[in-house]
Amino acid sequence: MTHTRTIWEEGREPGSRVVALGVALALTVAVVDTLVAGRIELLFDLCFVLICVGVALLVRPSDFFSVGVLPPLLMIGVFVLFALSRPGSIAGHGDGFLQAVVSGLGRHSVALFVGYALSLGCLAQRRRWVARAGR
């Protein structure tokens, strides 16, 4: 009898590759959302949550930590880059660098919370599955 792999067993990519993919996807979505809407809005939020879940499912079990800390660092990194280049896309047009980063985090905190919670939930389920399969 052949064993079909579940979604919890599929992730086999190294953490560095998965982190690079997450960064590239988040920056791409942020740029596209800015080009379409003029600022970072709902498209980024929805894709951010999907990126968080996707990287949690792609990473190999030995690299869970790198993905476990990724969502807040990823969002802060994107907002730092946008605060340096286009602060009006994440905050008011007169806001300075730090205010733009804080405003961006505040406006997108729900997406950060949901993405982080789902990512950690996926990693916990995968860890449980790996422990069960190892017995």
Side-chain angles (χ1 to χ4, degrees):
M1 176 181 231
T2 61
H3 172 70
T4 58
R5 296 176 70 160
T6 66
I7 193 169
W8 311 116
E9 297 173 282
E10 289 294 325
R12 297 288 177 231
E13 294 296 321
S16 58
R17 263 195 232 164
V18 174
V19 168
L21 176 66
V23 170
L25 289 173
L27 286 173
T28 301
V29 170
V31 168
V32 168
D33 200 13
T34 304
L35 291 175
V36 171
R39 58 186 301 116
I40 296 178
E41 291 185 346
L42 184 61
L43 176 66
F44 176 79
D45 290 348
L46 296 174
C47 290
F48 181 81
V49 171
L50 292 176
I51 290 167
C52 291
V53 172
V55 296
L57 294 174
L58 282 175
V59 73
R60 65 182 173 202
S62 62
D63 293 335
F64 278 178
F65 179 78
S66 61
V67 171
V69 298
L70 181 64
L73 298 176
L74 181 61
M75 189 171 276
I76 289 171
V78 168
F79 290 159
V80 163
L81 290 175
F82 273 80
L84 289 171
S85 61
R86 299 188 63 184
S89 64
I90 57 174
H93 289 288
D95 290 347
F97 169 76
L98 187 58
Q99 181 62 40
V101 173
V102 172
S103 292
L105 289 172
R107 288 183 180 164
H108 300 277
S109 60
V110 172
L112 177 59
F113 175 77
V114 171
Y116 204 13
L118 290 175
S119 175
L120 291 176
C122 286
L123 291 174
Q125 183 63 28
R126 288 191 63 206
R127 179 172 300 279
R128 188 193 277 157
W129 182 264
V130 167
R132 187 179 301 149
R135 288 186 210 163

